[in-house]
Amino acid sequence: MLEAARQALGGATRVLVVTGAGISAESGIPTFRGEGGLWEGFRAQDLATPQAFARDPELVWRWYRWRRDICNRAQPNPGHLAVARLEQTHDSLLLTQNVDGLHPRAGSERLVEIHGNIDTARCTACWTLTPIAELDDGVPRCPRCAGTMRPHILWFGETYWEGTLDVGLAFAGRADVCLVVGTSGMVTAPTSVAMHAKRSGAFVIDVNPNTSEVTRFADAWLKGPSGELLPELIGAD
Ligand code: OAD
């Protein structure tokens, strides 16, 4: 499988990469649906919603600050570094579901953080984006209009921001290889971008220690942790 995937990548010009929480597992960030996803007895799925924020914004902000601390303390792992390296050898685009900021810190520049970013807040009234580091504790107020700020994260039940997925779909239609890493595939939009790449003729590689929604239509399943397999597939610095 690794050899077939290497060959496909070696012959590819354009590579679409789609990543999920699994690529950051080896950096010590708990995945959404795996072990360690609980905080003070709450499941992520119960806090990352507009309803939870409307009910108790203070609680949701506390949870995000806790997650932000974990993300900021974590370091990119060899999987993130290998993905960043692809930009030097291929025309590549990275769509990540992760909000942890580890891809940009590893050097990826052609990326779209389709679910937002843990270091950024957004005004619920005027949509101004502000780094959380510049805001007060508690439930911060917008520096521009004094509206309530929320984490700039796509929550369960919300629709994607305009244009976010279009760039991925356009690239998917022209990609030679689609590399999908560390996602259960249960969020349908990113999975459907990978499916679109497949239908358009791309060779799909799934990197995951477990089967996922993507394994079903992948041309190669590299079974194992991405921190070990991606450097083997792509090469390490
Ligand atoms: P999940 O928690 O659903 O899935 C994580 C995947 O990573 C699983 O398939 C694991 O088998 C795999 N995995 C675990 N360790 C790994 C490793 N070392 N190397 C590679 N893979 C590994 O996370 P996502 O699929 O990213 O969205 O979930 C997507 C979205 O669910 C999140 O972005 C979030 C949530 O809804 C929003 O908040 C909008």
Side-chain angles (χ1 to χ4, degrees), residues 118-158:
I118 196 93
D119 284 314
T120 309
R122 181 175 87 227
C123 177
T124 54
C126 74
W127 263 78
T128 296
L129 300 181
T130 308
I132 289 176
E134 294 174 12
L135 295 171
D136 293 336
D137 291 344
V139 180
R141 295 272 153 195
C142 175
R144 218 175 106 197
C145 77
T148 304
M149 298 297 279
R150 58 166 274 180
H152 181 49
I153 305 264
L154 188 83
W155 284 335
F156 291 99
E158 295 185 319

Side-chain angles (χ1 to χ4, degrees), residues 19-27 29-34 44-45 48 63-64 67 77 96-99 114-116 153-158 160 180-187 190-191 206-213 222 224-230:
T19 64
I23 195 168
S24 297
E26 287 152 271
S27 294
I29 298 178
T31 59
F32 259 78
R33 295 172 179 83
Q45 291 95 312
W63 177 58
Y64 272 105
R67 292 192 63 203
N77 68 53
T96 185
Q97 300 171 72
N98 301 344
V99 300
I114 62 172
H115 292 167
I153 305 264
L154 188 83
W155 284 335
F156 291 99
E158 295 185 319
Y160 282 85
V180 185
V181 187
T183 177
S184 62
M186 284 167 72
V187 175
T191 308
D206 182 27
V207 182
N208 199 315
N210 305 301
T211 54
S212 71
E213 295 298 314
L222 306 187
S226 50
E228 287 172 25
L229 289 174
L230 287 178

